[in-house]
Structure formats: structure tokens, C-alpha cells
Amino acid sequence: MLDGRTLIDVHLHAARLPTLKPAWRTWAEQFGDRELLGRLYDESGTLRPAEFDAYLANEGVDVALLLSEYSPKATGIQPIEDLLPAVAHNPSRIRPIANINPHFHYPVDEELRRQLDLGAVACKVHPVHAGVAANDRSLYPAYEVCQAAGIPLVVHCGTSTFPGSSNKYADPVLLDDVLRDFRGLNIALAHGGRGWWYDAAAFMALSNERVWIELSGLPPSRLQSYYARHDWARLTRKMIFGTDWPGVPGIAKNARAIAALCPDDETAALVLAGNASRVYNLKPEAADR
């Protein structure tokens, strides 16, 4: 817990460094803590599970969701299997998220089921790095699996500066078809419309009970200006905390800054853990401290 509040971070990248392209490592060192990464990774570039779990505990994180990614055009391939040692070390705190890329996986529904069998609690699609629109029908079999399993769909919704990115696919309006066709599917907009789509993302979250603003990669000091045209008190109740670690100064630092922006303690509890618990079907009270 952090300052007496449960804390769930739904967006961390803890890949093996050799699987990543140089631009990813530059990003992590530019926006994160190079010294910390040196402590958490061994000489081969593999995450040290015990040290990573201790770091999360020190930051007050009750549950951390680690992202796999299969984006050979942009950041590289970070297979879900590389996350499993950290998950095995403390499965009550650390859980994986699946990733599907229709240019890499076929059939996508079979691959998603395989990753769910490995313990994934959600499925992420990365239109910008994969080079495919979120409403592309090649992804629909995976969405069917998500809806049937009751897990959320996480969609990268914001610009990316990594070489190979196609930022035109970040537009959240492309999800309008998906929301209509999958009426039981919760969708988390990772990065909350970063770049040119803050208003569209906020409108979708406020007008549809199944759409959520996921805050990873957004500086807390700028959130109110990003969403200045919308009812802040209402919108914060549709937000889910995430950091985009390791490209962040600190998990606890971000969480405290975001909590301070919330209109009341109840809303802060929702943003830091309550909404994630509901959407991702998590039970943070079971975390092994």
C-alpha cells in the first residue's frame, strides 16, 4: 500500500533487454532511472525477480501488470514467456498481460488463448507499433476471446516516437466499431489519447461505461490541461493508474501526484486501485507483502 491506499500499476514494461531495439533502451534511460535498471537487471539483461518484487513493494505497489509485446517493426519482440519468472516469484503481486499482433500471430484467437493459459489477465493490442487499425477485422477473433473470458482489452491510444511507428492508428475513434460490435467488452485507452486525441478519449470514456482512461506515460502535472474541456470530477472516476515503467521517474511519485489531483479520497482510491480491480478482475488484498 501507499500512504494507506491500495496501489495497482497496470502498465509496466519488464522485458529482457536483449529482445529490445536500441531506441527502447534510450527511452528507458532518458525518462527513467538508469541506476535503478542497473540494480534490477543482471549482466545478461534479464530482470532479477526478487529485486524487482522488492522494488515494487518499496514503491507501495500491491499489484503490477507486466506487458508483453510482439512489435518487430518498432520496439522488438518481448514474449510473454520472459515475464513468467517474475510472475512465479510473487504471483499475488505480479501478473502478465497478453499481446496480439495480427501480422505476427495467426490465428490470433488461438494465440491469445495460449497466452491466457500462461496467466494473462488482459489483452493489449498496439495499433501504432503493429501497423494495424484497432477495428481491423483480423483482430475480431481475439476480441471474441476477450469478451467471452471477461477480460479487458487494452489499446495503445497515443503517439509513439519509436522508429517504425504508425501514429495514424492511435485515433480512439477507430474503437467505435469495436464498442458497437462487442457490447460486453471493457476497453482501457492506454496513454489516454496522448498527442492529438485527449478530447476524443475523454468523450468516449464519459459517454460509454465500458471505456477507461489509462494514465500511463502522462505527466500528472499536465493532466488537467490535457482534459481541460471536460468535467474533471467526472472524468477522474473513469481513470486507471499506470506508469509506463521504466520510462517514469518513480511509481510512488506519480501515484501521489495523481492522488493529489483527485477531487476527493473516494475518487483517488478508484483511480489508484478500485477501477483496475473491477476492470482487470484483480484482488490486490491478496498480495503477499
Side-chain angles (χ1 to χ4, degrees), residues 79-131:
I80 191 171
E81 287 82 0
D82 286 353
L83 306 176
L84 299 183
V87 174
H89 178 78
N90 191 350
S92 62
R93 191 193 316 275
I94 303 172
R95 307 291 296 276
I97 289 180
N99 175 242
I100 295 298
N101 179 345
H103 298 310
F104 189 85
H105 299 116
Y106 183 84
V108 293
D109 52 340
E110 292 184 9
E111 173 59 21
L112 178 53
R113 290 190 189 96
R114 186 188 74 84
Q115 295 186 42
L116 294 182
D117 287 343
L118 293 175
V121 299
C123 174
K124 182 182 180 184
V125 294
H126 204 310
V128 173
H129 287 177

Side-chain angles (χ1 to χ4, degrees), residues 124-144:
K124 182 182 180 184
V125 294
H126 204 310
V128 173
H129 287 177
V132 62
N135 62 351
D136 192 287
R137 294 312 189 263
S138 67
L139 289 164
Y140 269 37
Y143 298 164
E144 291 277 7

Side-chain angles (χ1 to χ4, degrees), residues 24-41:
W24 190 98
R25 300 182 70 166
T26 300
W27 162 80
E29 293 177 356
Q30 179 180 356
F31 293 99
D33 186 335
R34 176 185 290 189
E35 182 181 350
L36 174 65
L37 292 178
R39 296 199 309 269
L40 297 185
Y41 280 85

Side-chain angles (χ1 to χ4, degrees), residues 31 198 217-228 232 257-258 261:
F31 293 99
Y198 294 116
L218 301 180
S221 62
R222 299 181 185 177
L223 284 177
Q224 288 180 301
S225 63
Y226 290 158
Y227 300 111
W232 180 250
I258 288 171
L261 296 173

Side-chain angles (χ1 to χ4, degrees), residues 5 232-233 236-237 258-271:
R5 294 190 180 101
W232 180 250
T236 50
R237 297 184 70 86
I258 288 171
L261 296 173
C262 293
D264 51 53
D265 287 342
E266 179 186 5
T267 303
L270 288 174
V271 176

Side-chain angles (χ1 to χ4, degrees), residues 11-14 20-33 37 69 75 78 160-162 191 194 216-217 243-248:
H11 198 120
L12 299 92
H13 298 275
L20 299 161
K21 291 194 173 183
W24 190 98
R25 300 182 70 166
T26 300
W27 162 80
E29 293 177 356
Q30 179 180 356
F31 293 99
D33 186 335
L37 292 178
E69 186 172 338
T75 57
Q78 301 103 60
S160 173
T161 59
F162 290 113
H191 314 301
R194 182 176 63 199
S216 58
T243 57
D244 213 13
W245 188 93
V248 63

Side-chain angles (χ1 to χ4, degrees), residues 4 21 56 69 76 92 99 147 161 171 182 206 232 241 251:
K21 291 194 173 183
L56 293 173
E69 186 172 338
S92 62
N99 175 242
Q147 183 168 255
T161 59
D171 192 338
F182 297 92
L206 291 172
W232 180 250
F241 179 73
I251 298 174

